[in-house]
Amino acid sequence: MTDYNFAYLDEQTKRMIRRAILKALAVPGYQVPFASREMPMPYGWGTGGVQVSAAVLTPEDRMKVIDQGADDTTNAVSIRQFFEKTAGVATTTQTAEASVIQTRHRIPETPLTEGQILVYQVPIPEPLRFLEPRETETRKMHALEEYGLMHVRLYEDIARHGHIATSYAYPVRIEGRYVMDPSPIPKFDNPKMEMAAIQLFGAGREQRIYALPPHTKVVSLDFDDHPFEASKPDVPCALCGAVDAYLDEVITDDAGGRMFVCSDTDHCERRRAAGHRGPVAEEDAA
Amino acid sequence: MYVAVKGGERAIEAAHAWLAEERRGDVEVQELSVAQIREQMSLAVARVMAEGSLYDPDLAALAIKQARGDLIEAIFLMRAYRTTLPRFGASRPVETGDMACDRRISATFKDLPGGQVLGPTFDYTHRLLDFKLAAEGGAEPAPRAEPAPEAVPHVMGFLNQEGLIETEASSDAAPPDLTREPLELPADRPLRLQALARGDEGFLLGLAYSTQRGYGRNHAFVGELRLGTCAVEMDIPELGFAIEIGEVELTECETVNQFTGSKTEPPQFTRGYGLVFGRAERKAISMALVDRALRAEELGEDLSGAPAQDTEFVLAHADNIQATGFLEHIKLPHYVDFQAELELVRKLRAGVTREAAE
């Protein structure tokens, strides 16, 4: 396709986005405003991630796109096709082979390595947004490190429910400075954010980019007597038997039957290819 | 055995094919041409150009055809195309005072230089379905008057001669552009007006209506509403002067609102302003009311907490492409988050049940 520039965006726009990315990497966890462009897919469907990916992609890259951990969910397919068409880059479903991974709601189970870039799609970049709707106020709160309100909210959860009632988009503190929204990943994924790869977060509609350089310290907010716990359903994957992977619950019949399977399809497939079997796969084989 | 849903790719292709078929409708019925839409759905075309921020009637008509008449979808197509266009430069500000008016009315003066010109308006039509149109679409040529020999002066100018209305400070500063810079708050008036000009008509209508009903009330008189074509001029550096590069159809509304004043300054009427591509009266009037409401703070009025007075609230939610995208994204899979919530609710419920049992 020659009607559009490589990876769709014009070079000026990419340069503007790269400047925002560099600033974001220099101030980890800080939300850098950028002049988000209208993309040919709707706001809220990954336009921030797409713009960040477009700005970092080179023709030699190999790209992977996941949504809910899976490569074949419709929006992941759509975004992967967009880059196949506009950038002509090679794509893959294998985490280890990808140089750029765009994701929505998950961090792959396979640990990422140096040289890889993980691009998150972010709906609401502001972790304080639902405590204070005004951007003018929340920017002030970040500037003054005024995070008391967040701790009060977590405390109120404990007072009411006995637990912190946040299961995804669980707020983190970056290098002891900025409180950051990790995007709506399950809190199970939070500990993985201390990784060797570069993590970039793009929020198109909200016009913000933020980032974590490799090995940045990421602490999930908690209390000494209520430590953070990365939880998941306490069963193995029905297909591959993994006990340490995040699972989706799938309803299998109308009598309440259900099974749990890996949300990371690449992880599950590779384990099965290596001969691992879960309880349902065992039954089928029998 | 359950296999994780495969075939997203095939499903998307099939959905697109079905959509194309649905768009065409019954093939026994003649296909709509882009020219037909441009000529006979001209108000829809105007809205798509205004909110798409791109003045091109043919492209707008094509977008409406492709979007099956869903105007927000058509606006989206225009916006997505617009961002890919290179910018050659900026025109000079259009002179709406030199507009060739098709319509120009004032609700504040019975008669005035330039006269009251009704133009092609729905205003005094009786809203009765015209069943004849179902059979035939012909129209008799309308009677013609001589065009006004001179430019029609702005009504606000008359009030200004007496100092009865505030004077806008003129400025040669380049206005900000929210399509090129991230929206930063607080937003000054030029930026607010840009956001309103491309904002959703329905949203602005609702907000403007809310000010009329008392949520940030500031009674507005329509000082003038004008509609017509304006020349667009651009300075060409190589030539050293400006040349006309085309014409745009515009609707402009100026409202006269209640006075401010203080012990030292005599009371003066204040202004609200609306300017929209194409024929879009409802939008232009709504924009003027909302513009005026958003000036509450600078004019030292009591802030009642009304939505229409809240710049951050209005600007953050006026864009229908942002709104529709985010609203509709909740159709996308959220299995992972929902799973996390399921697990949490089960855990919380188990805690309560256990305590009750003890």
Side-chain angles (χ1 to χ4, degrees):
Chain A
M1 190 155 131
T2 52
D3 308 354
Y4 293 100
N5 196 29
F6 174 77
Y8 185 76
L9 294 173
D10 61 278
E11 293 304 315
Q12 290 290 338
T13 300
K14 284 197 238 176
R15 207 167 299 155
M16 174 271 293
I17 295 170
R18 286 177 197 141
R19 276 197 290 263
I21 291 172
L22 289 174
K23 182 167 177 181
L25 283 165
V27 194
Y30 171 75
Q31 300 166 52
V32 182
F34 82 112
S36 176
R37 297 288 188 257
E38 265 128 350
M39 300 300 287
M41 62 270 290
Y43 285 120
W45 297 54
T47 55
V50 167
Q51 289 180 77
V52 167
S53 292
V56 300
L57 270 183
T58 65
E60 295 75 36
D61 272 310
R62 183 175 291 275
M63 195 177 188
K64 171 181 165 80
V65 183
I66 51 173
D67 185 347
Q68 314 296 303
D71 297 274
D72 52 6
T73 33
T74 43
N75 206 44
V77 170
S78 163
I79 291 172
R80 187 168 52 245
Q81 283 179 341
F82 176 76
F83 283 113
E84 280 169 355
K85 212 190 293 183
T86 60
V89 289
T91 56
T92 179
T93 59
Q94 300 196 25
T95 302
E97 280 189 5
S99 53
V100 176
I101 303 173
Q102 181 168 330
T103 179
R104 176 169 173 264
H105 294 191
R106 275 311 309 275
I107 297 175
E109 306 291 358
T110 310
L112 300 186
T113 56
E114 199 183 312
Q116 288 183 301
I117 299 177
L118 182 60
V119 178
Y120 295 75
Q121 301 171 201
V122 182
I124 305 273
E126 179 50 70
L128 306 170
R129 179 61 67 240
F130 300 113
L131 303 170
E132 167 54 61
R134 282 176 195 283
E135 180 69 13
T136 40
E137 286 301 314
T138 52
R139 285 192 83 80
K140 237 180 275 170
M141 290 161 78
H142 283 294
L144 300 171
E145 278 186 76
E146 220 181 82
Y147 296 130
L149 209 54
M150 183 62 96
H151 281 101
V152 169
R153 201 205 77 190
L154 298 179
Y155 169 74
E156 281 177 349
D157 275 0
I158 293 170
R160 192 172 303 140
H161 303 294
H163 299 280
I164 291 173
T166 299
S167 56
Y168 62 91
Y170 191 102
V172 292
R173 187 124 191 210
I174 306 306
E175 290 287 347
R177 179 58 180 86
Y178 287 99
V179 167
M180 187 190 94
D181 182 297
S183 89
I185 56 173
K187 68 178 181 177
F188 173 82
D189 282 342
N190 274 21
K192 295 185 199 156
M193 297 183 83
E194 287 188 355
M195 63 165 74
I198 293 174
Q199 297 170 80
L200 305 175
F201 299 77
R205 191 178 41 80
E206 300 278 341
Q207 308 185 314
R208 296 290 183 272
I209 284 172
Y210 50 102
L212 297 174
H215 307 294
T216 301
K217 191 168 178 214
V218 180
V219 178
S220 302
L221 300 184
D222 63 358
F223 297 101
D224 290 344
D225 51 347
H226 280 89
F228 172 81
E229 192 193 347
S231 57
K232 67 175 253 318
D234 197 16
V235 289
C237 169
L239 301 180
C240 78
V243 290
D244 53 357
Y246 194 73
L247 304 176
D248 279 339
E249 184 170 339
V250 181
I251 299 175
T252 49
D253 56 40
D254 54 6
R258 57 198 63 211
M259 62 192 255
F260 290 88
V261 292
C262 282
S263 112
D264 184 334
T265 46
D266 169 56
H267 182 72
C268 198
E269 276 162 24
R270 273 189 306 101
R271 281 182 53 84
R272 276 180 282 152
H276 297 281
R277 289 285 178 271
V280 171
E282 294 280 353
E283 272 170 41
D284 279 10
Chain B
M1 186 185 94
Y2 169 84
V3 182
V5 184
K6 284 275 179 195
E9 211 153 329
R10 268 185 300 128
I12 289 176
E13 270 170 34
H16 289 175
W18 195 354
L19 177 71
E21 194 183 312
E22 289 269 300
R23 183 194 59 68
R24 176 61 182 84
D26 184 350
V27 289
E28 298 292 308
V29 176
Q30 208 176 13
E31 190 180 349
L32 261 179
S33 74
V34 167
Q36 282 170 341
I37 296 171
R38 186 191 65 224
E39 295 303 315
Q40 296 174 46
M41 296 280 146
S42 56
L43 299 185
V45 168
R47 181 169 174 198
V48 170
M49 294 194 301
E51 292 170 34
S53 297
L54 181 63
Y55 195 92
D56 190 320
D58 287 300
L59 283 183
L62 172 63
I64 291 168
K65 178 173 176 172
Q66 188 178 332
R68 307 170 63 194
D70 179 340
L71 295 191
I72 291 186
E73 184 66 29
I75 292 161
F76 186 10
L77 290 168
M78 288 289 268
R79 290 267 191 98
Y81 178 72
R82 177 189 191 276
T83 38
T84 66
L85 299 176
R87 288 200 174 187
F88 300 118
S91 76
R92 287 191 162 184
V94 288
E95 282 293 345
T96 55
D98 296 336
M99 178 187 282
C101 293
D102 283 353
R103 170 165 163 79
R104 186 272 200 139
I105 54 165
S106 169
T108 52
F109 296 101
K110 185 174 167 120
D111 200 4
L112 65 169
Q116 303 264 19
V117 180
L118 275 187
T121 174
F122 287 120
D123 283 355
Y124 306 101
T125 61
H126 293 149
R127 270 55 169 210
L128 302 171
L129 274 178
D130 180 359
F131 293 104
K132 270 197 310 207
L133 266 185
E136 53 184 72
E140 292 294 314
R144 281 174 192 273
E146 285 301 308
E150 288 158 21
V152 180
H154 270 128
V155 175
M156 295 308 222
F158 304 126
L159 281 172
N160 218 6
Q161 287 164 7
E162 281 183 76
L164 291 178
I165 193 156
E166 56 170 335
T167 311
E168 274 306 314
S170 71
S171 164
D172 286 329
D177 181 354
L178 59 81
T179 68
R180 282 295 185 267
E181 296 295 327
L183 176 65
E184 300 246 21
L185 296 159
D188 58 6
R189 198 172 175 211
L191 190 64
R192 296 198 305 253
L193 287 170
Q194 185 195 12
L196 296 180
R198 52 195 254 128
D200 182 70
E201 177 176 315
F203 180 75
L204 294 188
L205 171 65
L207 279 178
Y209 178 47
S210 74
T211 67
Q212 292 184 292
R213 289 194 64 262
Y215 289 84
R217 179 180 153 84
N218 198 302
H219 185 271
F221 292 103
V222 173
E224 180 173 309
L225 180 68
R226 60 168 62 199
L227 185 163
T229 47
C230 284
V232 178
E233 294 182 328
M234 195 166 157
D235 283 312
I236 308 294
E238 291 86 339
L239 296 177
F241 52 85
I243 58 164
E244 188 179 321
I245 54 169
E247 277 185 344
V248 290
E249 195 168 44
L250 293 170
T251 306
E252 183 185 49
C253 176
E254 291 192 275
T255 58
V256 184
N257 298 70
Q258 275 163 352
F259 11 85
T260 57
S262 62
K263 282 190 179 133
T264 51
E265 276 184 68
Q268 264 189 329
F269 288 114
T270 56
R271 297 165 185 257
Y273 187 71
L275 183 69
V276 191
F277 273 153
R279 299 189 178 210
E281 282 181 39
R282 187 186 299 122
K283 168 85 181 270
I285 301 170
S286 301
M287 179 176 166
L289 264 61
V290 176
D291 167 49
R292 178 59 185 79
L294 291 177
R295 298 181 63 208
E297 198 172 354
E298 74 178 78
L299 294 172
E301 293 171 352
D302 290 337
L303 292 176
S304 57
Q309 290 179 334
D310 186 333
T311 306
E312 184 165 349
F313 178 83
V314 174
L315 296 198
H317 303 118
D319 191 290
N320 51 23
I321 301 309
Q322 290 177 359
T324 200
F326 196 56
L327 180 104
E328 297 196 46
H329 105 280
I330 61 175
K331 292 183 286 193
L332 291 177
H334 286 77
Y335 324 131
V336 164
D337 301 349
F338 187 67
Q339 188 58 48
E341 291 284 71
L342 266 179
E343 197 202 334
L344 178 66
V345 170
R346 280 177 184 144
K347 190 163 147 192
L348 298 181
R349 284 173 59 84
V352 172
T353 321
R354 202 169 44 241
E355 272 170 35
E358 275 164 13

